[in-house]
């Protein structure tokens, strides 16, 4: 009888240990998981692609417990939440996988998460907490993509009302700096490539930086060449710079793009682009605009990561390990080609699980 109890305790604990490790070692979830800050004002969704989508100014909640901000930009970006949500779903439909998503559901009158905490929260303790939650979730997304892939892309979705009605792609290069020829851009890497939020991409690409920024290999070129919903953009071959060559008609990238993009390549290997959508597109085509197709084609061309072909592999996968493996194979920094990613955090979880196994074994032995 004692042997039976001991064997039962051992098998029970082994069952617990196996499923504990299974949950932590396989980084690819079968579906996205949603985490919310207090009151669901700030939202974070896990992903399984080296792609991050943030929507900082599309929220409309105005809780009375948060005071109105008194200075800075107070108007939100109409319909960017809807466009961003559609974009995420389009990505899933095309790839079978999810990007990481960070959303602020609060009105910009209450909180601006694309500014530093001083301007964004303006001293109110509860508003500061919301700003910190958004920043924390952003750091989680950045850290996850960095850990499992070593490279990736962050798209920060905004809206603007400039009269030129062009989509603005911000790479943390100012409007006046774009008003030069390509030779000037390529001959001044300190001012341009090394100061851009896509510095990591530029360092790995065989193309000249001007070509990636606004030439035939630029995101602007791919957006205007889209067969479904072409959208002219700045910078691009057709519009290498903004019409006025100043910040009054071109947004080059804000707090998120500067902090989490690869401009500081020692901190970040994730590139970031601020996408400023024009008013006509947001007001008239918010439900039909398909930004996903040209974005994925550009990622395939520049990052050599074929997200679209990934869906076929995911559909054919027989297990979560095969899904994980298919996604990891897109990343070029794999140490060993195995379906499970082992790293420091996984190692610590393994040690903790083994300790838990021993403790649980002792407890169950005494109970049963």
């Amino acid at each position: 009888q004692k042997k039976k109890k001991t064997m039962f305790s051992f098998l029970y604990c082994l069952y617990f240990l196996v499923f504990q490790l299974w949950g932590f070692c396989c980084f690819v979830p079968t579906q996205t998981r949603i985490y919310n800050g207090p009151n669901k004002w700030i939202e974070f969704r896990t992903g399984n692609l080296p792609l991050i989508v943030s929507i900082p100014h599309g929220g409309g909640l105005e809780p009375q417990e948060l005071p109105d901000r008194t200075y800075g930009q107070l108007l939100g970006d109409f319909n960017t939440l809807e466009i961003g949500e559609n974009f995420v779903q389009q990505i899933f439909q095309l790839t079978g996988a999810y990007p990481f998503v960070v959303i602020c559901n609060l009105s910009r009158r209450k909180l601006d998460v694309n500014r530093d905490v001083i301007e964004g929260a303006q001293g109110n303790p509860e508003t500061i907490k919301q700003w910190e939650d958004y920043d924390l979730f952003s750091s989680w997304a950045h850290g996850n993509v960095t850990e499992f892939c070593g490279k990736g892309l962050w798209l920060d979705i905004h809206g603007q009302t400039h009269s030129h009605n062009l989509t603005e792609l911000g790479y943390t290069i100012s409007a006046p700096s774009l008003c030069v020829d390509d030779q000037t851009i390529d001959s001044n890497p300190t001012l341009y490539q090394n100061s851009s939020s896509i510095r990591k991409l530029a360092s790995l690409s065989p193309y000249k930086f001007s070509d990636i920024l606004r030439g035939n290999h630029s995101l602007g070129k791919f957006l205007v060449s889209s067969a479904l919903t072409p959208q002219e953009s700045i910078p691009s071959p057709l519009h290498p710079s903004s019409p006025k060559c100043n910040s009054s008609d071109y947004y080059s990238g804000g707090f998120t793009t500067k902090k989490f993009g690869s401009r500081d390549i020692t901190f970040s290997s994730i590139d970031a682009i601020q996408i400023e959508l024009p008013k006509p597109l947001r007001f008239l085509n918010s439900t039909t605009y398909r930004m996903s197709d040209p974005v994925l084609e550009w990622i395939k061309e520049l990052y050599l990561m074929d997200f679209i072909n990934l869906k076929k592999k995911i559909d054919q996968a027989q297990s979560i390990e095969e899904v994980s493996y298919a996604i990891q194979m897109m990343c070029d920094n794999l140490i060993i080609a195995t379906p499970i990613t082992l790293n420091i955090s996984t190692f610590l979880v393994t040690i903790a699980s083994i300790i838990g196994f021993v403790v649980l074994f002792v407890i169950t032995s005494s109970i049963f």
Side-chain angles (χ1 to χ4, degrees):
Q1 186 69 21
K2 186 176 181 179
K3 288 184 178 179
K4 288 183 178 180
K5 289 181 180 179
T6 304
M7 181 59 69
F8 177 82
S9 298
F10 175 79
L11 292 176
Y12 179 82
C13 295
L14 183 63
Y15 174 85
F16 169 82
L17 177 64
V18 167
F19 279 87
Q20 177 89 341
L21 290 177
W22 182 277
F24 281 101
C25 289
C26 299
F27 72 83
V28 180
T30 53
Q31 60 183 8
T32 187
R33 296 174 183 174
I34 300 176
Y35 299 88
N36 292 292
N39 303 307
K40 298 185 178 181
W41 293 338
I42 308 297
E43 184 175 324
F44 171 62
R45 303 178 194 171
T46 60
N48 43 22
L49 287 173
L51 178 65
I52 303 167
V53 176
S54 55
I55 312 169
H57 297 151
L61 299 180
E62 296 189 345
Q64 293 183 352
E65 52 264 54
L66 297 182
D68 288 352
R69 296 167 62 240
T70 58
Y71 66 91
Q73 177 58 261
L74 304 179
L75 296 179
D77 297 340
F78 182 76
N79 266 352
T80 53
L81 181 57
E82 292 76 8
I83 290 176
E85 293 277 19
N86 287 338
F87 176 68
V88 170
Q89 288 305 310
Q90 291 164 18
I91 293 292
F92 175 72
Q93 292 166 5
L94 290 169
T95 69
Y98 290 97
F100 291 82
V101 182
V102 188
I103 298 173
C104 177
N105 289 310
L106 288 167
S107 164
R108 198 174 186 183
R109 184 178 299 277
K110 299 294 183 178
L111 173 66
D112 191 340
V113 290
N114 199 40
R115 298 291 188 273
D116 62 38
V117 67
I118 296 174
E119 181 181 342
Q122 300 189 4
N124 178 264
E126 183 56 38
T127 309
I128 291 173
K129 177 62 171 62
Q130 304 308 313
W131 187 97
E132 290 174 341
D133 283 348
Y134 188 92
D135 191 62
L136 176 63
F137 288 153
S138 296
S139 297
W140 283 3
H142 186 274
N144 272 273
V145 172
T146 301
E147 185 175 5
F148 81 71
C149 199
K151 65 179 180 181
L153 179 64
W154 188 311
L155 300 177
D156 194 32
I157 299 178
H158 294 259
Q160 43 81 14
T161 57
H162 295 147
S163 59
H164 53 57
N165 290 331
L166 303 171
T167 293
E168 299 167 15
L169 305 174
Y171 303 97
T172 64
I173 297 175
S174 68
S177 296
L178 288 176
C179 289
V180 297
D181 57 33
D182 289 347
Q183 183 178 357
T184 300
I185 290 176
D186 293 326
S187 61
N188 291 275
T190 301
L191 181 60
Y192 289 94
Q193 176 176 317
N194 297 346
S195 299
S196 77
S197 57
I198 55 169
R199 182 179 179 182
K200 180 67 174 181
L201 170 62
S203 69
L204 299 175
S205 175
Y207 306 117
K208 292 182 178 180
F209 183 66
S210 61
D211 192 19
I212 299 172
L213 181 68
R214 61 189 188 185
N216 289 328
H217 291 94
S218 65
L219 178 57
K221 169 66 174 180
F222 277 68
L223 288 177
V224 77
S225 300
S226 172
L228 296 174
T229 51
Q231 178 63 35
E232 295 188 18
S233 307
I234 302 170
S236 67
L238 286 175
H239 307 279
S241 60
S242 64
K244 298 179 181 179
C245 287
N246 60 49
S247 58
S248 67
D249 68 345
Y250 173 74
Y251 296 140
S252 61
F255 181 83
T256 296
T257 310
K258 292 174 182 176
K259 178 174 180 177
F260 293 104
S262 60
R263 185 171 67 163
D264 181 0
I265 206 167
T266 59
F267 162 73
S268 177
S269 59
I270 309 298
D271 298 306
I273 303 172
Q274 180 170 298
I275 300 180
E276 292 276 357
L277 301 171
K279 183 177 179 179
L281 186 152
R282 291 184 290 119
F283 279 67
L284 301 177
N285 303 318
S286 62
T287 59
T288 58
Y289 179 52
R290 287 190 64 87
M291 185 169 59
S292 55
D293 302 270
V295 167
L296 293 185
E297 287 295 333
W298 184 71
I299 290 174
K300 177 182 178 181
E301 177 76 17
L302 272 295
Y303 289 87
L304 305 180
M305 292 191 291
D306 191 349
F307 287 0
I308 297 177
N309 189 50
L310 178 66
K311 180 171 174 56
K312 183 187 299 183
K313 295 179 181 179
I314 290 178
D315 290 342
Q316 295 172 348
Q318 300 297 313
S319 66
I320 192 171
E321 296 102 316
E322 292 183 12
V323 173
S324 174
Y325 183 66
I327 293 174
Q328 289 181 53
M329 287 302 292
M330 292 191 307
C331 305
D332 60 4
N333 66 336
L334 292 180
I335 299 174
I336 51 174
T338 63
I340 297 177
T341 299
L342 295 178
N343 46 46
I344 294 176
S345 60
T346 307
F347 173 76
L348 293 176
V349 168
T350 303
I351 298 299
S353 298
I354 293 172
I355 295 173
F357 169 83
V358 174
V359 173
L360 192 59
F361 178 77
V362 172
I363 294 173
T364 53
S365 295
S366 62
I367 293 176
F368 298 107

